[in-house]
Amino acid sequence: MPHIAVVIPVFNEAEVLPTLLQRLRAVFDAAPELRWSACFVDDGSRDASVALIEAAAQQDPRITAVLLSRNFGHQAALTAGIAQVRGADAVVTMDADLQDPPELIPELVAAWRGGAEVVLAVRRSRRERGMRRLGFELFHRVFQRLTDQPVEANSGTFGLLAAPAVEAFTQLPEQHRFFPGLRAWVGFTRAVVEYDRLE
């Protein structure tokens, strides 16, 4: 039975964590052919996120709480979570704010089972408007011009890495990480799953 580990960095997400946990469990309850675990990495939250994560971990042995000593940033928290995963056949990385819908995980897993070792969740649309949206678009344009390794313009953290890709990622020596760039750099067979990003 394949083991899917989900790694979720958390920073002040107490408002949405109960819903995220409920939806995550529902996704895997509907897929009994998969074994799953979830690693929530708290990145120095100042709200009730830590209490919620610790309570979830006490109630469910499939859930692990990793509590960083301060706010190190999203990329560092993501890296810390991936480093904690043991024995998974694939790792799903996603944000905690519900912009990345847990309900897409079965499609990521299906693409992996179809032969992809890196699966990107690519946004068909995004709800951000104004300066925030312009900032995202400008960043991706500049990044593409500065690097010889293309990164999918509408992809972010959300996606899946098969065990060989996880191993390659964890061996990289970079201390200041940009996850989408490093995920592109390690190579491997890839697939794309499109979705609509929520607010």
Side-chain angles (χ1 to χ4, degrees), residues 18-61:
T19 302
L20 173 59
L21 284 160
Q22 180 183 26
R23 288 171 60 181
L24 195 61
R25 287 190 181 104
V27 164
F28 285 106
D29 286 348
E33 73 280 6
L34 300 175
R35 195 160 54 92
W36 70 280
S37 60
C39 177
F40 287 83
V41 183
D42 184 77
D43 189 25
S45 293
R46 294 183 295 272
D47 64 0
S49 293
V50 170
L52 289 168
I53 293 168
E54 288 183 320
Q58 289 175 355
Q59 295 166 7
D60 191 336

Short mmCIF file of all heavy atoms in Angstrom, two decimals, residues 18-61:
data_model
loop_
_atom_site.label_atom_id
_atom_site.label_comp_id
_atom_site.label_asym_id
_atom_site.label_seq_id
_atom_site.Cartn_x
_atom_site.Cartn_y
_atom_site.Cartn_z
N PRO A 18 -8.57 23.85 11.49
CA PRO A 18 -9.59 22.80 11.69
C PRO A 18 -10.24 22.35 10.39
O PRO A 18 -10.46 21.15 10.17
CB PRO A 18 -10.60 23.47 12.63
CG PRO A 18 -9.80 24.50 13.37
CD PRO A 18 -8.83 25.02 12.35
N THR A 19 -10.52 23.31 9.51
CA THR A 19 -11.12 22.96 8.22
C THR A 19 -10.14 22.18 7.36
O THR A 19 -10.51 21.19 6.71
CB THR A 19 -11.57 24.24 7.47
OG1 THR A 19 -12.48 24.96 8.29
CG2 THR A 19 -12.22 23.90 6.14
N LEU A 20 -8.88 22.60 7.35
CA LEU A 20 -7.86 21.88 6.59
C LEU A 20 -7.75 20.44 7.06
O LEU A 20 -7.72 19.50 6.24
CB LEU A 20 -6.51 22.59 6.70
CG LEU A 20 -5.31 21.87 6.08
CD1 LEU A 20 -5.53 21.63 4.59
CD2 LEU A 20 -4.03 22.65 6.32
N LEU A 21 -7.68 20.23 8.36
CA LEU A 21 -7.57 18.87 8.91
C LEU A 21 -8.78 18.02 8.52
O LEU A 21 -8.64 16.86 8.13
CB LEU A 21 -7.42 18.93 10.43
CG LEU A 21 -6.04 19.34 10.94
CD1 LEU A 21 -6.12 19.85 12.37
CD2 LEU A 21 -5.08 18.17 10.83
N GLN A 22 -9.96 18.61 8.62
CA GLN A 22 -11.18 17.89 8.27
C GLN A 22 -11.17 17.49 6.80
O GLN A 22 -11.48 16.33 6.45
CB GLN A 22 -12.39 18.78 8.58
CG GLN A 22 -13.73 18.14 8.27
CD GLN A 22 -14.87 19.12 8.53
OE1 GLN A 22 -14.71 20.33 8.49
NE2 GLN A 22 -16.03 18.57 8.82
N ARG A 23 -10.81 18.41 5.94
CA ARG A 23 -10.80 18.12 4.50
C ARG A 23 -9.71 17.13 4.13
O ARG A 23 -9.90 16.26 3.27
CB ARG A 23 -10.66 19.43 3.71
CG ARG A 23 -11.93 20.28 3.75
CD ARG A 23 -11.76 21.66 3.17
NE ARG A 23 -11.34 21.64 1.77
CZ ARG A 23 -11.10 22.74 1.07
NH1 ARG A 23 -11.26 23.94 1.62
NH2 ARG A 23 -10.73 22.66 -0.19
N LEU A 24 -8.55 17.23 4.78
CA LEU A 24 -7.45 16.31 4.52
C LEU A 24 -7.85 14.88 4.89
O LEU A 24 -7.63 13.94 4.12
CB LEU A 24 -6.23 16.76 5.30
CG LEU A 24 -4.88 16.18 4.92
CD1 LEU A 24 -4.53 16.52 3.48
CD2 LEU A 24 -3.80 16.69 5.87
N ARG A 25 -8.44 14.73 6.06
CA ARG A 25 -8.90 13.40 6.47
C ARG A 25 -9.95 12.85 5.52
O ARG A 25 -9.94 11.66 5.18
CB ARG A 25 -9.45 13.45 7.90
CG ARG A 25 -8.38 13.61 8.97
CD ARG A 25 -8.97 13.41 10.36
NE ARG A 25 -7.98 13.59 11.39
CZ ARG A 25 -7.89 14.67 12.17
NH1 ARG A 25 -8.74 15.68 12.02
NH2 ARG A 25 -6.96 14.75 13.10
N ALA A 26 -10.87 13.70 5.09
CA ALA A 26 -11.93 13.26 4.17
C ALA A 26 -11.34 12.76 2.85
O ALA A 26 -11.81 11.76 2.30
CB ALA A 26 -12.92 14.39 3.92
N VAL A 27 -10.32 13.44 2.36
CA VAL A 27 -9.67 13.03 1.11
C VAL A 27 -9.11 11.62 1.24
O VAL A 27 -9.32 10.76 0.37
CB VAL A 27 -8.56 14.03 0.71
CG1 VAL A 27 -7.64 13.44 -0.35
CG2 VAL A 27 -9.17 15.33 0.21
N PHE A 28 -8.40 11.36 2.32
CA PHE A 28 -7.77 10.05 2.47
C PHE A 28 -8.75 8.98 2.93
O PHE A 28 -8.56 7.80 2.62
CB PHE A 28 -6.55 10.16 3.38
CG PHE A 28 -5.37 10.82 2.70
CD1 PHE A 28 -5.01 12.11 3.01
CD2 PHE A 28 -4.65 10.14 1.73
CE1 PHE A 28 -3.93 12.72 2.38
CE2 PHE A 28 -3.58 10.74 1.08
CZ PHE A 28 -3.22 12.03 1.41
N ASP A 29 -9.79 9.37 3.65
CA ASP A 29 -10.84 8.39 3.99
C ASP A 29 -11.50 7.85 2.73
O ASP A 29 -11.95 6.70 2.69
CB ASP A 29 -11.90 9.03 4.89
CG ASP A 29 -11.42 9.23 6.32
OD1 ASP A 29 -10.34 8.68 6.66
OD2 ASP A 29 -12.09 9.95 7.08
N ALA A 30 -11.55 8.68 1.69
CA ALA A 30 -12.15 8.27 0.42
C ALA A 30 -11.17 7.50 -0.46
O ALA A 30 -11.53 7.06 -1.55
CB ALA A 30 -12.66 9.50 -0.34
N ALA A 31 -9.93 7.33 0.02
CA ALA A 31 -8.91 6.60 -0.75
C ALA A 31 -8.26 5.55 0.16
O ALA A 31 -7.08 5.67 0.52
CB ALA A 31 -7.86 7.57 -1.29
N PRO A 32 -9.00 4.51 0.53
CA PRO A 32 -8.48 3.52 1.47
C PRO A 32 -7.30 2.71 0.92
O PRO A 32 -6.63 2.01 1.68
CB PRO A 32 -9.69 2.61 1.74
CG PRO A 32 -10.57 2.79 0.55
CD PRO A 32 -10.37 4.20 0.10
N GLU A 33 -7.04 2.84 -0.37
CA GLU A 33 -5.91 2.13 -0.97
C GLU A 33 -4.58 2.84 -0.68
O GLU A 33 -3.50 2.33 -1.04
CB GLU A 33 -6.09 1.99 -2.49
CG GLU A 33 -5.90 3.26 -3.30
CD GLU A 33 -7.10 4.21 -3.30
OE1 GLU A 33 -8.08 3.95 -2.57
OE2 GLU A 33 -7.05 5.22 -4.03
N LEU A 34 -4.64 4.00 -0.03
CA LEU A 34 -3.44 4.76 0.30
C LEU A 34 -3.23 4.82 1.80
O LEU A 34 -4.18 4.96 2.57
CB LEU A 34 -3.54 6.20 -0.24
CG LEU A 34 -3.70 6.37 -1.75
CD1 LEU A 34 -3.91 7.85 -2.07
CD2 LEU A 34 -2.49 5.83 -2.50
N ARG A 35 -1.97 4.71 2.22
CA ARG A 35 -1.59 4.99 3.59
C ARG A 35 -1.09 6.43 3.61
O ARG A 35 -0.41 6.86 2.67
CB ARG A 35 -0.48 4.03 4.01
CG ARG A 35 -0.23 3.95 5.49
CD ARG A 35 0.52 2.66 5.83
NE ARG A 35 1.73 2.50 5.08
CZ ARG A 35 2.94 2.91 5.47
NH1 ARG A 35 3.08 3.52 6.63
NH2 ARG A 35 4.00 2.71 4.72
N TRP A 36 -1.43 7.21 4.62
CA TRP A 36 -1.04 8.61 4.60
C TRP A 36 -0.54 9.07 5.96
O TRP A 36 -0.82 8.48 7.00
CB TRP A 36 -2.20 9.50 4.15
CG TRP A 36 -3.33 9.62 5.13
CD1 TRP A 36 -4.34 8.72 5.33
CD2 TRP A 36 -3.56 10.69 6.05
NE1 TRP A 36 -5.18 9.17 6.30
CE2 TRP A 36 -4.73 10.38 6.76
CE3 TRP A 36 -2.89 11.88 6.33
CZ2 TRP A 36 -5.26 11.21 7.75
CZ3 TRP A 36 -3.41 12.72 7.32
CH2 TRP A 36 -4.58 12.39 8.01
N SER A 37 0.23 10.15 5.91
CA SER A 37 0.65 10.86 7.11
C SER A 37 0.74 12.34 6.74
O SER A 37 0.78 12.69 5.56
CB SER A 37 2.01 10.34 7.60
OG SER A 37 3.00 10.53 6.61
N ALA A 38 0.74 13.18 7.75
CA ALA A 38 0.84 14.62 7.51
C ALA A 38 1.81 15.22 8.52
O ALA A 38 1.73 14.93 9.72
CB ALA A 38 -0.52 15.29 7.62
N CYS A 39 2.72 16.03 8.02
CA CYS A 39 3.69 16.73 8.86
C CYS A 39 3.38 18.23 8.79
O CYS A 39 3.55 18.86 7.75
CB CYS A 39 5.11 16.46 8.37
SG CYS A 39 6.38 17.33 9.29
N PHE A 40 2.89 18.77 9.90
CA PHE A 40 2.61 20.20 10.00
C PHE A 40 3.81 20.88 10.66
O PHE A 40 4.19 20.52 11.77
CB PHE A 40 1.36 20.44 10.85
CG PHE A 40 0.07 20.08 10.15
CD1 PHE A 40 -0.38 18.76 10.14
CD2 PHE A 40 -0.68 21.04 9.50
CE1 PHE A 40 -1.56 18.42 9.51
CE2 PHE A 40 -1.85 20.71 8.86
CZ PHE A 40 -2.30 19.40 8.86
N VAL A 41 4.40 21.83 9.96
CA VAL A 41 5.58 22.52 10.47
C VAL A 41 5.18 23.93 10.87
O VAL A 41 4.88 24.77 10.02
CB VAL A 41 6.70 22.58 9.40
CG1 VAL A 41 7.94 23.24 9.98
CG2 VAL A 41 7.01 21.19 8.87
N ASP A 42 5.16 24.19 12.18
CA ASP A 42 4.82 25.53 12.62
C ASP A 42 6.05 26.43 12.57
O ASP A 42 7.08 26.13 13.16
CB ASP A 42 4.26 25.53 14.04
CG ASP A 42 3.83 26.94 14.42
OD1 ASP A 42 2.76 27.37 13.96
OD2 ASP A 42 4.61 27.62 15.11
N ASP A 43 5.92 27.53 11.86
CA ASP A 43 7.03 28.44 11.59
C ASP A 43 6.96 29.67 12.49
O ASP A 43 6.93 30.80 12.01
CB ASP A 43 7.00 28.82 10.10
CG ASP A 43 8.23 29.59 9.67
OD1 ASP A 43 9.28 29.44 10.31
OD2 ASP A 43 8.13 30.35 8.68
N GLY A 44 6.85 29.42 13.80
CA GLY A 44 6.85 30.53 14.75
C GLY A 44 5.54 31.27 14.85
O GLY A 44 5.53 32.49 15.05
N SER A 45 4.42 30.55 14.73
CA SER A 45 3.10 31.20 14.81
C SER A 45 2.90 31.88 16.16
O SER A 45 3.39 31.42 17.19
CB SER A 45 1.99 30.16 14.60
OG SER A 45 2.00 29.67 13.29
N ARG A 46 2.13 32.98 16.12
CA ARG A 46 1.81 33.71 17.35
C ARG A 46 0.34 33.57 17.72
O ARG A 46 -0.13 34.22 18.64
CB ARG A 46 2.19 35.18 17.18
CG ARG A 46 3.69 35.40 17.05
CD ARG A 46 4.06 36.86 16.96
NE ARG A 46 3.55 37.48 15.75
CZ ARG A 46 4.20 37.51 14.59
NH1 ARG A 46 5.38 36.92 14.49
NH2 ARG A 46 3.68 38.10 13.54
N ASP A 47 -0.39 32.73 16.98
CA ASP A 47 -1.80 32.50 17.31
C ASP A 47 -1.93 31.09 17.90
O ASP A 47 -0.98 30.55 18.45
CB ASP A 47 -2.68 32.71 16.07
CG ASP A 47 -2.40 31.72 14.96
OD1 ASP A 47 -1.51 30.85 15.12
OD2 ASP A 47 -3.07 31.78 13.91
N ALA A 48 -3.09 30.49 17.77
CA ALA A 48 -3.33 29.17 18.37
C ALA A 48 -2.93 28.01 17.47
O ALA A 48 -3.27 26.86 17.76
CB ALA A 48 -4.82 29.05 18.73
N SER A 49 -2.17 28.27 16.42
CA SER A 49 -1.78 27.21 15.49
C SER A 49 -1.05 26.07 16.18
O SER A 49 -1.33 24.89 15.92
CB SER A 49 -0.91 27.77 14.37
OG SER A 49 -1.63 28.65 13.54
N VAL A 50 -0.10 26.40 17.05
CA VAL A 50 0.68 25.34 17.72
C VAL A 50 -0.23 24.43 18.54
O VAL A 50 -0.13 23.21 18.46
CB VAL A 50 1.78 25.96 18.61
CG1 VAL A 50 2.42 24.89 19.49
CG2 VAL A 50 2.83 26.64 17.76
N ALA A 51 -1.13 25.01 19.30
CA ALA A 51 -2.05 24.21 20.11
C ALA A 51 -2.90 23.30 19.24
O ALA A 51 -3.13 22.12 19.57
CB ALA A 51 -2.94 25.12 20.95
N LEU A 52 -3.37 23.80 18.12
CA LEU A 52 -4.19 23.00 17.22
C LEU A 52 -3.40 21.86 16.59
O LEU A 52 -3.88 20.72 16.49
CB LEU A 52 -4.79 23.89 16.13
CG LEU A 52 -5.88 24.86 16.58
CD1 LEU A 52 -6.18 25.88 15.50
CD2 LEU A 52 -7.14 24.10 16.96
N ILE A 53 -2.17 22.15 16.18
CA ILE A 53 -1.33 21.11 15.58
C ILE A 53 -0.98 20.05 16.61
O ILE A 53 -1.05 18.84 16.33
CB ILE A 53 -0.04 21.75 15.00
CG1 ILE A 53 -0.35 22.65 13.81
CG2 ILE A 53 0.94 20.66 14.56
CD1 ILE A 53 0.82 23.51 13.39
N GLU A 54 -0.60 20.46 17.80
CA GLU A 54 -0.25 19.49 18.84
C GLU A 54 -1.45 18.63 19.22
O GLU A 54 -1.31 17.41 19.42
CB GLU A 54 0.31 20.22 20.07
CG GLU A 54 1.70 20.78 19.84
CD GLU A 54 2.27 21.43 21.09
OE1 GLU A 54 1.52 22.12 21.82
OE2 GLU A 54 3.47 21.24 21.33
N ALA A 55 -2.62 19.23 19.31
CA ALA A 55 -3.82 18.46 19.64
C ALA A 55 -4.13 17.44 18.55
O ALA A 55 -4.47 16.28 18.82
CB ALA A 55 -5.01 19.40 19.84
N ALA A 56 -3.99 17.85 17.30
CA ALA A 56 -4.24 16.93 16.18
C ALA A 56 -3.26 15.77 16.21
O ALA A 56 -3.63 14.61 15.97
CB ALA A 56 -4.14 17.68 14.85
N ALA A 57 -1.99 16.07 16.52
CA ALA A 57 -0.97 15.02 16.57
C ALA A 57 -1.22 14.04 17.72
O ALA A 57 -0.96 12.84 17.59
CB ALA A 57 0.41 15.65 16.70
N GLN A 58 -1.73 14.54 18.84
CA GLN A 58 -2.05 13.66 19.97
C GLN A 58 -3.23 12.75 19.67
O GLN A 58 -3.29 11.61 20.13
CB GLN A 58 -2.32 14.49 21.23
CG GLN A 58 -1.07 15.14 21.80
CD GLN A 58 -1.37 16.08 22.97
OE1 GLN A 58 -2.53 16.31 23.29
NE2 GLN A 58 -0.33 16.61 23.58
N GLN A 59 -4.17 13.25 18.90
CA GLN A 59 -5.38 12.48 18.59
C GLN A 59 -5.19 11.51 17.44
O GLN A 59 -5.92 10.52 17.32
CB GLN A 59 -6.53 13.43 18.26
CG GLN A 59 -6.98 14.28 19.43
CD GLN A 59 -7.88 15.43 18.99
OE1 GLN A 59 -8.27 15.53 17.84
NE2 GLN A 59 -8.19 16.33 19.92
N ASP A 60 -4.23 11.78 16.55
CA ASP A 60 -4.08 10.98 15.34
C ASP A 60 -2.60 10.69 15.10
O ASP A 60 -1.83 11.61 14.81
CB ASP A 60 -4.66 11.76 14.14
CG ASP A 60 -4.78 10.90 12.89
OD1 ASP A 60 -4.04 9.91 12.78
OD2 ASP A 60 -5.60 11.24 12.03
N PRO A 61 -2.17 9.44 15.23
CA PRO A 61 -0.75 9.11 15.07
C PRO A 61 -0.21 9.34 13.66
O PRO A 61 1.01 9.35 13.46
CB PRO A 61 -0.69 7.62 15.44
CG PRO A 61 -2.08 7.11 15.24
CD PRO A 61 -2.98 8.26 15.54
#
